[in-house]
Amino acid sequence: MSPIISVSNLSKIYGSGFKALNNINLDIAKGEIFALLGPNGAGKTTLISIICGIANPTHGKISVNGHDIIKDYRAARSMIGLVPQELHTDAFESVWATVSFSRGLFGKPKNPAHIEKVLKDLSLWDKKDSKIVTLSGGMKRRVMIAKALSHEPQVLFLDEPTAGVDVELRKGMWEVVRALQASGVTIILTTHYIEEAEEMADRIGVINKGEIILIENKSTLMQKLGKKHLTLQLPSKLDAIPPDLAAYNLELSGDGRTLIYDYDTKGDRTGITSLLNDLRTAGIRISDLDTTQSSLEDIFVSLVRAP
Ligand SMILES: Nc1ncnc2c1ncn2[C@@H]1O[C@H](COP(=O)(O)OP(=O)(O)O)[C@@H](O)[C@H]1O
Ligand SMILES: [Mg+2]
């Protein structure tokens, strides 16, 4: 299936001479939730802004459902809804008016039933006549989503939708995004919250310093890079790891009371059974054990720190 968004060899050099994006290649499949994960300044907003036609690419080619974003700007843009990172405090009369106005910008005929549905889905219906300025931050964010959905886009970009919002609101936002996906909308969200990518995304792209350093299915990513640690508590202090156990690359804690064994979750040979046997042979007793899996956070930190 051809991708709904295709970005090839995209670079962006700002007027200042700063290279914010370096040769980005990215395809987004129809119907997926794609999380673009990266620290502040990585180039997330720049990338989204270019796809949405707000900033110009310096090099490269982008198409939205086959429409080139430059040559066929209107067709490309009409397929996209954007919820920007910065919330605008437009001085519109009411939620209803501002959302209807957004639809009009795309030259779509009036469709009160659609606007009503969007507002209801976002629990904004009873606020349809309220002044935007009286809305809470979370409400404003939802109004921005309603605006972005007013013209029935097939692709929705959410630039850091939950930055600075409280946990409850964040969960509410995740539900909205899932419901949109269920209705067939393709979602691209940016975040610097690893847990958000881990929770929401079908696929994750990690961007750092203007370069995409990894794109992977979330589950593959977790599996491929996810190492497990087996932690063994010892009832008595161990001074050194016996040479017979060298092959396991065990790590002994400073106090001599904990052994750590790292193993891969791939395949069916973890080495745990033989380790436990060899420990017994070496006369090392165990009082407790525990396993932990490295999270996306560990993976992210190690990628971004890598030279
Ligand atoms: N208009 C601009 N002119 C010059 N540099 C910019 C401009 N906008 C963003 N940048 C720089 O480009 C880099 C990427 O910014 P941005 O895309 O906003 O990152 P992110 O959204 O990942 O935090 C940053 O170093 C930022 O300072
Ligand atoms: Mg940004």
Side-chain angles (χ1 to χ4, degrees):
M1 197 174 62
S2 59
I4 192 152
I5 290 181
S6 176
V7 175
S8 48
N9 306 111
L10 172 67
S11 293
K12 172 68 181 177
I13 300 169
Y14 277 112
S16 61
F18 181 78
K19 191 168 201 177
L21 295 175
N22 185 21
N23 197 34
I24 301 285
N25 288 287
L26 176 65
D27 280 348
I28 303 292
K30 190 167 162 39
E32 73 174 326
I33 298 181
F34 184 87
L36 189 62
L37 178 67
N40 280 324
K44 302 182 295 295
T45 298
T46 301
L47 176 56
I48 284 193
S49 301
I50 293 172
I51 299 174
C52 294
I54 291 164
N56 291 318
T58 309
H59 301 288
K61 205 168 142 48
I62 300 169
S63 60
V64 181
N65 215 14
H67 304 291
D68 186 276
I69 59 149
I70 296 186
K71 281 185 239 139
D72 210 357
Y73 171 79
R74 277 177 161 271
R77 188 62 183 87
S78 72
M79 304 202 61
I80 294 175
L82 167 65
V83 182
Q85 183 170 2
E86 305 299 336
L87 293 184
H88 301 287
T89 46
D90 297 305
F92 283 106
E93 267 170 55
S94 70
V95 172
W96 173 269
T98 191
V99 174
S100 303
F101 178 79
S102 282
R103 180 179 174 87
L105 288 178
F106 290 91
K108 286 248 178 182
K110 284 197 163 59
N111 185 346
H114 175 67
I115 303 292
E116 182 176 330
K117 182 182 181 305
V118 166
L119 294 184
K120 279 186 174 155
D121 287 350
L122 288 157
S123 308
L124 292 167
W125 179 244
D126 58 340
K127 295 282 190 291
K128 83 180 166 82
D129 292 319
S130 70
K131 302 257 182 260
I132 280 194
V133 287
T134 66
L135 300 176
S136 67
M139 284 279 191
K140 280 187 193 161
R141 182 80 62 175
R142 278 185 279 154
V143 171
M144 295 304 291
I145 297 176
K147 284 178 66 166
L149 293 174
S150 64
H151 63 287
E152 300 161 65
Q154 295 188 29
V155 186
L156 182 66
F157 286 89
L158 296 152
D159 197 358
E160 310 234 8
T162 62
V165 309
D166 62 43
V167 176
E168 203 170 324
L169 196 60
R170 187 176 301 177
K171 297 217 162 119
M173 204 72 79
W174 291 347
E175 274 170 35
V176 168
V177 169
R178 285 203 186 91
L180 282 170
Q181 182 188 34
S183 76
V185 176
T186 305
I187 315 266
I188 293 123
L189 59 90
T190 71
T191 185
H192 59 264
Y193 294 121
I194 289 135
E195 61 152 8
E196 186 154 66
E198 202 166 338
E199 172 80 26
M200 292 301 300
D202 299 314
R203 223 155 45 102
I204 294 173
V206 178
I207 185 169
N208 192 37
K209 297 187 179 131
E211 296 192 7
I212 293 202
I213 52 180
L214 181 128
I215 300 178
E216 195 69 87
N217 283 329
K218 180 179 66 187
S219 53
T220 318
L221 182 63
M222 305 299 293
Q223 219 175 19
K224 193 154 109 183
L225 299 171
K227 287 262 196 301
K228 277 197 164 187
H229 314 283
L230 171 67
T231 306
L232 304 162
Q233 301 297 339
L234 311 177
S236 47
K237 185 171 180 284
L238 186 67
D239 293 323
I241 297 167
D244 284 352
L245 298 172
Y248 294 101
N249 289 321
L250 300 172
E251 194 186 309
L252 181 63
S253 64
D255 65 1
R257 299 294 291 262
T258 308
L259 278 174
I260 296 170
Y261 172 55
D262 285 344
Y263 62 98
D264 234 311
T265 52
K266 277 186 302 204
D268 49 6
R269 298 179 70 89
T270 60
I272 293 173
T273 312
S274 58
L275 171 65
L276 294 178
N277 280 332
D278 289 350
L279 283 170
R280 193 166 45 191
T281 308
I284 298 170
R285 295 200 305 129
I286 297 159
S287 56
D288 198 5
L289 54 81
D290 188 25
T291 64
T292 49
Q293 176 138 28
S294 57
S295 67
L296 188 55
E297 174 148 13
D298 303 327
I299 296 166
F300 180 57
V301 168
S302 67
L303 276 171
V304 171
R305 278 213 195 119

